[in-house]
Amino acid sequence: MAVYKRSYKAYTGHLTPEWSRWIVIPRYAWQGLFRLRLLTIFYVLCFFYPLGCAVVIYLNNNLAFIRQYMPVPPNGILDIGNKFFLTYTVVQCTLAFILTAFIGPGLVSPDLANNALPLYFSRPVSRTGYVVGKMMVIAGLLSMITWIPGLMLFGLQASLADSKWVTDNWKIAWSIFFSASVWIVFVAMLSLALSAWVRWRIIAGGLMLVVLFVGAGLAEAIRQVWRIDSARFLDVSSNMGNIWTHMFDVKTRYTLTLEDSIMVLAGYTALCIWLLARKIKACEVIRG
Amino acid sequence: MDNEIIFDNVSKFYGEVLGVNRVALSIPPGITSLVGPNGSGKTTLMNLMTGLIQPTRGSITVRGMSPKDPENFFRTVGYCSQFDSYPKGFTGYQFVYSFLRLFGITHAEANDKAWAAIQRVGLEEAAKRKIAGYSKGMRQRIKLAQALSSDPQVLVLDEPLNGLDPLVRAETIALFREFATAGRHLILSSHVLHEVDIISDQVILMAAGYVVAEGQIRAVREEIEDHPMQILIRCQQPQRLASRLFEHDHVVEVKVHSDGGGLLVKTKSADRFYLLMNEIAAGNIDIETVAPVDDDVNSVYGYLIGSEEPTR
Amino acid sequence: MNPNWNLWMRQTWAVMRLEIGKSFFSKRGLWIYLLAFAPIVIWGGHSYEVMERGEDRQKMAQRSPGVTRQKMAMITDEMSKERILAILGPPARQQSFGRRHPVQIMRWSDGKAEFIVRFRDGELENISLREGCSFEEDSTVFAAIFQFFYLRLAIFWGCVFVFMNLFRGEMLDKSLHYYFLAPIRREVVVAGKFGAGLLATGVIFGVSIALQFAGMNLHFPKETVDQYFSQGHAIQHLLSYIGVSILACAGYGSAFLVGGILLRNPLIPAGVLLLWESINGILPAILRKFSVIYYLKVLSPVAIPLDKGVPGPLAMLAFGTDPVSTPVAIIGVFGLALVLLVVAAWRSRSMEISYAAE
């Protein structure tokens, strides 16, 4: 029969290896994101602070140049050390959070709202691959404004300072990477989970802020009323601040231990993964 | 003029994208169909007419009223839009009733009007069920009920026959006919050209944001000079008739029908052709029927808008 | 044209009827209830815990009858276990754990406060005196939570959702055109929607604050509460808290209603307003007046000392304001809300239905 002669033939060409199929998701997502002018402007602005830091590091290590124009204390303009890189990490991670609040919620919710998940999963993309791909959209962008320039700044300082500075401060490089990575994984999972559960992406973005601000407020309310310090487990920002100060070996005002805070963040991340696992399915039963 | 819908040189641009351009129309009462391919500007024209969007240039009045004065305007105008969305959790009855309460009328009055409108579209049984569980056709009908419920003088319907089964389609067309009597306006858009042909008193043909033609379909057809009129003549002696016809310069083509029982004639002047036919009929050639082949919306659409086939 | 107030009132009510259900019972809005009612759980839990602990301390006081507040205050970090036991006598409760570095915790109570001493390896490690709850202290904490958490976070974000949803949510649901196709002025639609939002948020947050207030007072002795009520402070405070909550809903609500009409992404105005409200304390005097929190802080019935220990993102919300009289504050918020509503009504007139752009 003529119809059969013209029937569908399966693709027999080269297939992308299974482990790398998720890459297609961030590739197209990034293209889409950078079409948004406001986001691109904000992303560019995120590089200003690292750039400023680079200039400060350079000048701090070339005092002779500055002394031509102005008096400089003998120890330099400022101490490039733990506090300098802690401030860098806090500033960049805050910007990373704002960026995630804008881009994260739009990653999963449109797929759910438009019933696009069956389209993804009818192709050789697994649920894990889908989540990893979506997470990499955020992780890639955030890495570019947090730990990657952070390590470059560390490298710049290491190359300009004497070897003693490097031996005394090599841990900073690890701290930059670890602190930013924990934050990136957490905010990425949080935004994806909210995006999957709240289909209106604007509300999902708002909830990101709610989790940060209201979590802190609720924790403080419980701490004040019940007079218990453990209420701070609810406060994501305090726990992250605690991890950062511990990692950079700076005196902390938090009463929680490093292990406590890592467990809290890990717990929240696990909760987000569980929430995602419940929503990212090829089919959905709608009861009406 | 106060009983017409007037578009006074109306243009609408969505940023750099053209919606409609320089539309000047006077639509008299009766059933008027907007016909055109997807993206031709039919919905834009309807949305402009009802104030859901505002013209970039020009002005619109419906029976002397402006959409900028919704308080009076929508006591006269009802619009059944293309949006297939409803307030969440509403039953069909609640949907119609709540809309009527916005008119500022009492519960009893709104209740009576709501049930009357629901009955008109034949949805009494499903009225207490949630709209979320309705079929496409039922959703169309409840929207129609809502638009009809306030008993408007002008009813604007964007693709109202979509999703309706043949029986309900026929009932709905009858409803339109009934509505359009007594000097009321019914403006509708449709892709189904043979239905437009049946329903409409006049058509507005649109393409790429421009009004290509407007008026009664036959009159529009006569205006299209670069496509000679096609007329089918059933007769006993087609060859003889063909030779008679070729004597006249307005006849440009004559084909003998494949069954040998008639002729397909192309003429540049329908009026002169029909006069000629009167003469021939009075003579000795026995003519059974004379019927135009391409003075329907489908043909006019094809000639004016091109090869894009709108019939679904 | 003669203003037809009677018709407009009926139409406003019709819009409110449609909107109230959505504002109160939408699935999307469940988290607003969580935000609003979380403090009730906190205060309720606190009262329950205080009542339980009070009974426990009475029992402890019976076991160590000689313990007084003065004796507890005499204990210092340098004292030995023997010296402490000599002053306070045998502990009412005692716990020991740990093998390599044994820890011993001893407790005494005078029936109100609790004194806890912790020894590690037989050496004094820590002493702490846990006071009983005082009415003044709880009132101050209540006021602090009301200002720092409830007003600036719960009500703020609750209003973000409810009021932004009134127009923007309908755009997303593709159902706003039903209002725009009715014989109703757009200004009336704005008024009706705002009324519904205000009613919903006012009831949710007002009921919550009343329940929180009850929760706070639950554990105090009857005579303390009676005195509080008989002097008229309780009712005055409660009404002030409810009034300030409603004013906050009106002020923030009107701002977010305008935001929902003007902008596609409500996060931007919400973020800007949060920032504006947060930096209010450092703004020039004239600019401070264009803020909701400026007036609300004045109207809060119990002044709170600024706590330097306020953590993280909350720290930026803590600031002082110049004194303003109560009528000026109330008129200020309503005036601000009215101006914003006029802007909303004016902008709504030129609003177009363009769902594809959402």
Side-chain angles (χ1 to χ4, degrees):
Chain A
M1 297 286 285
V3 172
Y4 293 128
K5 279 181 189 168
R6 280 186 273 122
S7 65
Y8 169 77
K9 283 188 185 125
Y11 173 71
T12 52
H14 171 71
L15 281 178
T16 314
E18 202 170 333
W19 62 268
S20 65
R21 279 175 199 160
W22 56 267
I23 292 172
V24 73
I25 295 172
R27 199 199 321 158
Y28 286 101
W30 286 328
Q31 279 178 10
L33 286 172
F34 283 113
R35 270 187 224 121
L36 305 171
R37 202 181 303 159
L38 195 69
L39 184 92
T40 311
I41 292 169
F42 183 76
Y43 198 62
V44 170
L45 289 177
C46 289
F47 289 98
F48 276 45
Y49 186 75
L51 208 63
C53 289
V55 172
V56 169
I57 289 172
Y58 179 80
L59 293 176
N60 206 47
N61 286 283
N62 290 279
L63 294 172
F65 173 74
I66 309 174
R67 283 200 182 101
Q68 292 173 359
Y69 305 99
M70 56 189 276
V72 176
N75 293 334
I77 309 167
L78 55 96
D79 177 30
I80 309 287
N82 289 353
K83 278 190 181 168
F84 178 85
F85 283 101
L86 171 64
T87 311
Y88 165 83
T89 305
V90 171
V91 170
Q92 291 304 102
C93 284
T94 308
L95 292 173
F97 183 84
I98 297 168
L99 192 67
T100 313
F102 277 98
I103 59 172
L107 290 176
V108 179
S109 57
D111 290 344
L112 282 162
N114 299 313
N115 211 15
L117 287 185
L119 288 176
Y120 276 103
F121 300 139
S122 62
R123 279 147 180 85
V125 174
S126 66
R127 289 168 70 203
T128 314
Y130 174 84
V131 173
V132 170
K134 292 287 180 183
M135 193 181 137
M136 285 313 291
V137 176
I138 303 171
L141 288 176
L142 300 198
S143 296
M144 288 300 290
I145 59 165
T146 53
W147 63 269
I148 292 175
L151 290 183
M152 287 166 77
L153 289 176
F154 178 82
L156 179 66
Q157 168 67 11
S159 66
L160 294 171
D162 52 21
S163 57
K164 188 178 176 302
W165 187 92
V166 181
T167 6
D168 289 349
N169 295 290
W170 65 270
K171 275 187 183 171
I172 289 177
W174 162 246
S175 303
I176 293 170
F177 174 72
F178 183 79
S179 302
S181 301
V182 169
W183 186 238
I184 288 171
V185 170
F186 170 71
V187 294
M189 293 317 293
L190 177 68
S191 67
L192 291 184
L194 289 174
S195 176
W197 278 82
V198 185
R199 292 186 184 195
W200 187 9
R201 69 181 180 84
I202 292 163
I203 288 292
L207 279 180
M208 291 267 306
L209 300 177
V210 169
V211 168
L212 188 75
F213 281 94
V214 178
L218 207 57
E220 188 57 18
I222 294 173
R223 200 175 75 87
Q224 295 286 342
V225 178
W226 291 358
R227 279 86 164 170
I228 51 167
D229 253 4
S230 50
R232 287 207 161 134
F233 287 139
L234 287 172
D235 181 0
V236 171
S237 58
S238 283
N239 281 286
M240 202 59 234
N242 191 33
I243 292 173
W244 288 335
T245 48
H246 271 95
M247 287 304 299
F248 284 93
D249 213 10
V250 172
K251 196 182 169 197
T252 177
R253 62 188 169 89
Y254 303 104
T255 49
L256 302 166
T257 65
L258 175 65
E259 293 75 21
D260 284 345
S261 291
I262 290 176
M263 287 304 292
V264 167
L265 262 290
Y268 282 128
T269 309
L271 178 69
C272 292
I273 292 170
W274 178 73
L275 289 171
L276 266 173
R278 290 200 54 187
K279 275 286 167 181
I280 306 298
K281 289 174 184 170
C283 61
E284 187 179 12
V285 178
I286 297 166
R287 293 178 185 87
Chain B
M1 291 293 275
D2 263 10
N3 70 344
E4 290 194 339
I5 297 169
I6 294 166
F7 283 76
D8 183 11
N9 205 22
V10 172
S11 299
K12 174 69 185 175
F13 290 86
Y14 301 99
E16 290 173 4
V17 179
L18 168 71
V20 292
N21 199 13
R22 281 176 281 169
V23 173
L25 287 171
S26 295
I27 306 172
I31 300 180
T32 304
S33 292
L34 291 173
V35 181
N38 290 332
S40 58
K42 302 185 297 293
T43 300
T44 300
L45 211 63
M46 291 184 155
N47 287 348
L48 283 166
M49 206 186 294
T50 50
L52 289 189
I53 53 174
Q54 294 179 11
T56 314
R57 235 177 280 133
S59 64
I60 300 149
T61 52
V62 176
R63 294 190 168 220
M65 283 179 295
S66 164
K68 286 178 182 169
D69 173 24
E71 204 171 0
N72 293 314
F73 185 83
F74 287 109
R75 290 188 189 277
T76 304
V77 179
Y79 181 25
C80 179
S81 72
Q82 63 167 353
F83 306 118
D84 192 23
S85 49
Y86 306 84
K88 273 189 183 152
F90 272 35
T91 63
Y93 166 77
Q94 283 171 334
F95 175 57
V96 181
Y97 169 83
S98 304
F99 173 79
L100 282 165
R101 287 305 297 267
L102 294 177
F103 282 65
I105 59 178
T106 60
H107 160 74
E109 199 180 343
N111 184 56
D112 291 348
K113 284 189 169 191
W115 280 117
I118 288 166
Q119 275 168 4
R120 275 182 95 176
V121 298
L123 266 182
E124 301 98 303
E125 281 180 24
K128 291 282 183 183
R129 275 168 42 203
K130 288 199 172 168
I131 299 176
Y134 280 13
S135 67
K136 167 92 178 161
M138 289 161 88
R139 292 203 300 272
Q140 282 285 52
R141 279 147 73 194
I142 201 70
K143 260 196 307 188
L144 186 60
Q146 192 229 34
L148 280 168
S149 62
S150 58
D151 197 22
Q153 289 299 302
V154 178
L155 190 57
V156 185
L157 310 165
D158 198 351
E159 308 214 8
L161 301 172
N162 270 5
L164 302 183
D165 63 53
L167 194 65
V168 179
R169 233 180 164 85
E171 286 172 6
T172 309
I173 290 171
L175 183 69
F176 293 164
R177 279 251 155 263
E178 182 199 325
F179 177 88
T181 55
R184 288 193 280 203
H185 277 89
L186 193 142
I187 316 288
L188 63 92
S189 71
S190 179
H191 283 290
V192 188
L193 295 183
H194 74 269
E195 274 172 350
V196 169
D197 232 6
I198 300 165
I199 305 169
S200 316
D201 297 319
Q202 57 257 329
V203 292
I204 296 169
L205 265 81
M206 298 199 67
Y210 288 87
V211 172
V212 180
E214 52 139 340
Q216 291 184 346
I217 198 68
R218 204 146 295 167
V220 172
R221 176 65 187 92
E222 281 169 13
E223 295 286 318
I224 307 171
E225 288 175 352
D226 46 350
H227 288 275
M229 285 275 284
Q230 294 185 48
I231 295 161
L232 179 66
I233 306 164
R234 306 297 295 187
C235 61
Q236 295 298 322
Q237 299 149 297
Q239 286 84 359
R240 253 187 83 198
L241 178 60
S243 63
R244 280 288 308 272
L245 292 175
F246 272 128
E247 292 166 8
H248 300 270
D249 57 354
H250 58 86
V251 175
V252 293
E253 190 180 320
V254 178
K255 273 186 197 167
V256 178
H257 202 272
S258 54
D259 63 4
L263 289 176
L264 189 67
V265 183
K266 283 190 182 177
T267 171
K268 285 193 282 189
S269 169
D271 291 343
R272 285 172 66 194
F273 180 80
Y274 288 123
L275 284 173
L276 174 65
M277 288 311 292
N278 287 342
E279 281 176 30
I280 293 171
N284 54 1
I285 296 176
D286 188 17
I287 293 169
E288 292 163 15
T289 59
V290 177
V293 176
D294 64 348
D295 70 345
D296 58 355
V297 179
N298 210 356
S299 308
V300 171
Y301 186 97
Y303 295 147
L304 290 177
I305 295 171
S307 57
E308 214 172 330
E309 179 52 69
T311 309
R312 283 179 180 170
Chain C
M1 195 188 76
N2 293 327
N4 193 344
W5 290 103
N6 199 13
L7 172 70
W8 294 342
M9 290 302 286
R10 284 201 305 274
Q11 289 183 322
T12 305
W13 176 237
V15 175
M16 282 178 74
R17 271 170 48 93
L18 277 166
E19 293 296 324
I20 284 169
K22 276 190 259 175
S23 298
F24 271 114
F25 306 115
S26 86
K27 267 190 201 167
R28 281 180 196 159
L30 272 181
W31 62 272
I32 296 172
Y33 285 92
L34 284 176
L35 269 180
F37 293 119
I40 301 172
V41 177
I42 296 172
W43 282 111
H46 169 64
S47 281
Y48 176 76
E49 195 260 344
V50 169
M51 285 190 283
E52 287 285 303
R53 203 172 54 203
E55 282 177 25
D56 192 44
R57 283 179 182 171
Q58 291 292 340
K59 284 180 194 164
M60 281 165 67
Q62 285 166 8
R63 285 188 201 167
S64 51
V67 175
T68 61
R69 188 61 199 268
Q70 287 75 22
K71 282 184 182 176
M72 289 194 280
M74 284 163 66
I75 309 298
T76 60
D77 287 342
E78 293 82 30
M79 288 180 177
S80 66
K81 188 196 280 185
E82 292 71 27
R83 180 88 182 104
I84 294 170
L85 288 172
I87 296 170
L88 295 174
R93 287 237 174 85
Q94 192 170 307
Q95 273 176 286
S96 298
F97 51 87
R99 283 185 187 171
R100 287 174 64 187
H101 300 285
V103 174
Q104 197 175 23
I105 296 171
M106 294 178 179
R107 293 164 194 267
W108 292 264
S109 176
D110 63 349
K112 287 179 181 166
E114 188 177 348
F115 192 67
I116 304 161
V117 182
R118 184 181 164 112
F119 300 97
R120 185 182 285 269
D121 295 328
E123 297 292 319
L124 178 64
E125 189 181 60
N126 178 264
I127 56 171
S128 66
L129 180 67
R130 287 189 189 168
E131 299 280 1
C133 283
S134 76
F135 189 80
E136 290 71 26
E137 194 186 354
D138 268 15
S139 287
T140 311
V141 172
F142 189 91
I145 288 172
F146 179 75
Q147 282 197 29
F148 289 130
F149 172 74
Y150 203 65
L151 215 51
R152 296 174 201 213
L153 295 173
I155 293 183
F156 182 91
W157 288 107
C159 287
V160 169
F161 176 78
V162 171
F163 288 90
M164 293 268 187
N165 203 33
L166 292 172
F167 276 91
R168 197 51 51 190
E170 292 230 40
M171 286 292 254
L172 286 161
D173 287 343
K174 298 185 171 68
S175 56
L176 185 63
H177 64 281
Y178 291 116
Y179 283 112
F180 287 5
L181 294 175
I184 178 168
R185 294 172 76 99
R186 302 249 174 119
E187 295 89 333
V188 176
V189 177
V190 169
K193 279 179 173 276
F194 178 75
L198 186 61
L199 188 71
T201 50
V203 168
I204 293 170
F205 290 108
V207 166
S208 167
I209 203 75
L211 291 174
Q212 286 175 53
F213 199 72
M216 179 194 77
N217 286 300
L218 206 62
H219 66 86
F220 288 113
K222 193 174 173 300
E223 49 279 14
T224 312
V225 178
D226 282 349
Q227 194 188 3
Y228 185 38
F229 272 83
S230 63
Q231 286 173 353
H233 293 314
I235 298 295
Q236 184 205 333
H237 285 184
L238 178 60
L239 290 178
S240 297
Y241 282 126
I242 293 174
V244 171
S245 301
I246 292 169
L247 271 179
C249 294
Y252 290 133
S254 55
F256 296 131
L257 185 74
V258 178
I261 289 175
L262 293 179
L263 296 161
R264 207 172 294 156
N265 188 348
L267 266 189
I268 296 167
V272 169
L273 188 61
L274 186 65
L275 188 71
W276 178 255
E277 296 283 280
S278 306
I279 61 165
N280 185 275
I282 56 168
L283 291 174
I286 184 77
L287 289 179
R288 282 185 192 188
K289 293 180 175 62
F290 296 98
S291 150
V292 177
I293 204 74
Y294 174 81
Y295 301 103
L296 298 181
K297 197 170 160 57
V298 177
L299 294 169
S300 295
V302 178
I304 49 161
L306 289 179
D307 178 7
K308 284 178 185 168
V310 175
L314 284 185
M316 65 189 231
L317 301 177
F319 60 86
T321 54
D322 312 323
V324 184
S325 72
T326 303
V328 170
I330 294 171
I331 293 166
V333 176
F334 276 126
L336 202 67
L338 195 67
V339 169
L340 291 169
L341 283 177
V342 169
V343 173
W346 170 62
R347 288 298 300 164
S348 72
R349 288 180 70 108
S350 55
M351 212 174 165
E352 294 192 342
I353 297 294
S354 169
Y355 297 142
E358 292 302 308

